[in-house]
Amino acid sequence: MSHIQYNLQFEALCRQLRLGEVIGIPEAISGGFLHRMYAVETATGKYAIKALNPQIMLRPTAMANYIASEDIASIAAGKVGALPAIRANGTCLHEIEDQYYLVFDWIDGSSLTSAEITPEHCMKMGDVLAELHLTDFSGLNIPDHRSEGAQPINWNRYLQLGRENDAEWLNLLLEDQGMLTEWNAQAIESEKLLSAELVISHRDLDPKNVLWNQGSPVVIDWEAAGYVNPMKELIETAMYWSENTIGLTDQEKFTALINGYKQRYGLPQANWSMVLAGIFGGKLDWLEYNLKRSLWIECTDPQEQRIGTVQVTETIQGIKRYADAIPQIVNWLR
């Protein structure tokens, strides 16, 4: 969809939500690797508008998932700094000509780069995560579809399609196929055991999903929210926030986040090797999704296809770095 089409839809959307007339030209801003984000000013204020990826909205569970995730965000906003979507006419999902949108109040804040993150930031994020894990979301009656069980990813299929399309990641995937298969098996086995203890939480507390305003964090992008093993999310979040500029894990920052969590939640205990194996699951799912985008299986335009292609290589490299870091992380946790 062109910028002109988006602008026309923004005008219709703002009328529908009674946000006033659009002032000036909407500005495209960074919206992660899935959706498109725009800053829009109107007669009543400034808003962030997320144009949801049409391919994702074709999934049978997409609508229900977005509604549930925003319900979670609304409750979380009573406990931590959080930004739920604006609701109008009884819903947070707004449709204009088959394009779905989420609309948010604008927050003056910015996410932190790995070079900007300090142990103090990590302590605060540990506290935020602990607060989420202590929050009662039971009134939402959100079903847990995770019990349906994960299936092994068919890497051979993507290798074959990669050969047919002369994909630039082909040799890398071929070289690492054996390890990917092994990590996939470990993640599936881990998931079975970790599913005995679940909480509802954000599930993607990457630094890009937290805006900082005068030293206070505001958690955004709740679309992944749902059931998760709390210790798995703790370690995954600690690794996000302690990654340095070359992708290695900083022990001081990692420990600071764990300590921030511990002060609020109590001493975290788990079979850490099993937890760390489980973290492969989300990373491999993200790899498969980007393989599909790169191969035009789930893709809307050349820009998204290119993002998918780049992400395949970056994700494989990131998974390998994670695998190399596991023994060190286990020692820190002991």
Side-chain angles (χ1 to χ4, degrees), residues 1-15 22 26 96-97 101:
M1 188 159 58
S2 70
H3 288 300
I4 294 175
Q5 289 173 301
Y6 271 125
N7 291 348
L8 290 172
Q9 290 199 359
F10 293 155
E11 291 174 2
L13 179 65
C14 290
R15 285 195 298 271
V22 174
I96 303 290
E97 298 176 358
Y101 292 97

Side-chain angles (χ1 to χ4, degrees), residues 58-76:
L58 291 174
R59 297 174 183 175
T61 58
M63 292 279 287
N65 287 346
Y66 276 106
I67 291 168
S69 67
E70 286 302 322
D71 287 342
I72 292 168
S74 294
I75 290 180

Side-chain angles (χ1 to χ4, degrees), residues 130-173:
E131 193 64 59
L132 288 177
H133 288 176
L134 292 167
T135 298
D136 181 9
F137 295 101
S138 60
L140 296 178
N141 295 315
I142 293 174
D144 177 20
H145 297 300
R146 294 154 51 84
S147 59
E148 296 162 7
Q151 298 299 314
I153 296 170
N154 185 351
W155 304 113
N156 283 326
R157 175 196 181 206
Y158 298 114
L159 282 170
Q160 181 59 40
L161 292 171
R163 290 189 186 95
E164 293 171 6
N165 289 272
D166 195 25
E168 62 186 65
W169 42 256
L170 177 61
N171 289 336
L172 184 61
L173 185 64

Side-chain angles (χ1 to χ4, degrees), residues 294-308:
S294 178
L295 293 164
W296 290 95
I297 298 171
E298 286 190 27
C299 190
T300 53
D301 56 49
Q303 180 184 355
E304 185 178 12
Q305 190 270 342
R306 184 61 197 161
I307 289 173

Side-chain angles (χ1 to χ4, degrees), residues 96-137:
I96 303 290
E97 298 176 358
D98 297 325
Q99 171 65 57
Y100 285 93
Y101 292 97
L102 293 171
V103 182
F104 304 89
D105 289 314
W106 185 264
I107 288 186
D108 287 321
S110 58
S111 57
L112 300 174
T113 66
S114 56
E116 294 170 325
I117 293 170
T118 66
E120 183 182 1
H121 292 122
C122 295
M123 282 279 290
K124 289 183 179 180
M125 289 312 302
D127 182 77
V128 167
L129 184 60
E131 193 64 59
L132 288 177
H133 288 176
L134 292 167
T135 298
D136 181 9
F137 295 101

Side-chain angles (χ1 to χ4, degrees), residues 20-96:
E21 291 296 315
V22 174
I23 298 172
I25 300 173
E27 176 189 355
I29 55 177
S30 174
F33 298 118
L34 288 179
H35 311 287
R36 295 188 174 172
M37 290 287 294
Y38 297 85
V40 178
E41 290 197 57
T42 76
T44 63
K46 188 173 182 180
Y47 303 92
I49 296 181
K50 178 181 285 188
L52 298 177
N53 188 314
Q55 283 294 317
I56 290 179
M57 295 310 294
L58 291 174
R59 297 174 183 175
T61 58
M63 292 279 287
N65 287 346
Y66 276 106
I67 291 168
S69 67
E70 286 302 322
D71 287 342
I72 292 168
S74 294
I75 290 180
K79 301 290 184 177
V80 301
L83 182 65
I86 293 172
R87 294 175 184 267
N89 305 315
T91 183
C92 58
L93 270 179
H94 312 291
E95 181 186 3
I96 303 290

